[in-house]
Amino acid sequence: MRLAAGTALVLLALPLAAAAQEEVLRLPSGLEARVHEVLTDRPAGGGLTYRFRFVAEGFEGGEAGLERVMEDLEWLCVTYALPRLSNIGPRPGRVVISLADRPSEFGVYNPAVIQVFEAYRPEGDTCIWEMF
């Protein structure tokens, strides 16, 4: 993976990270997700960003489930990511939530992995969707 100059990517060491990965999160769509990893970076000019990456076996992409997936991503941001921000470090300007059908290496294209992601601005106790 090649990063642009001035960009740092760090895997966050969260307390009880192993336990968090085993925690099953029941999504509004009915899928069950687990935390894959949490990353932080500072894209050039983009400010501090936390990336919460989730895996849900049985997740299928495509246009038909887009509304359902958007609801799942927002739910993960509000109910999982936001409550953990103060335990991670400085408050980020952006939170990116991703959901995939299987674990994958961040930043490495794998055509076998179905993945969606969205960016949110944390504001109080809610996540404001931001288009890329």
Side-chain angles (χ1 to χ4, degrees):
M1 176 174 70
R2 179 177 286 175
L3 298 175
T7 300
L9 182 65
V10 178
L11 178 62
L12 295 175
L14 296 175
L16 306 172
Q21 288 179 344
E22 295 304 315
E23 179 182 7
V24 175
L25 305 166
R26 173 73 69 173
L27 304 179
S29 66
L31 288 173
E32 293 181 346
R34 288 183 167 75
V35 175
H36 174 54
E37 63 186 352
V38 179
L39 305 170
T40 182
D41 67 281
R42 293 182 184 271
L48 182 61
T49 299
Y50 289 153
R51 300 175 187 279
F52 289 80
R53 301 182 70 218
F54 298 89
V55 172
E57 291 181 23
F59 170 66
E60 298 176 2
E63 297 282 331
L66 184 59
E67 187 174 316
R68 201 169 45 242
V69 169
M70 290 295 291
E71 186 178 348
D72 286 347
L73 295 176
E74 183 176 347
W75 185 88
L76 286 165
C77 187
V78 171
T79 63
Y80 190 87
L82 283 184
R84 286 157 179 81
L85 292 181
S86 63
N87 296 331
I88 294 174
R91 187 108 173 140
R94 179 178 293 154
V95 172
V96 176
I97 305 292
S98 69
L99 184 63
D101 67 336
R102 66 192 81 181
S104 65
E105 185 178 344
F106 179 76
V108 176
Y109 176 68
N110 181 341
V113 176
I114 298 171
Q115 178 177 252
V116 295
F117 55 90
E118 288 294 345
Y120 299 90
R121 183 179 71 248
E123 196 166 289
D125 61 352
T126 193
C127 292
I128 309 298
W129 177 59
E130 293 190 334
M131 293 200 324
F132 280 106

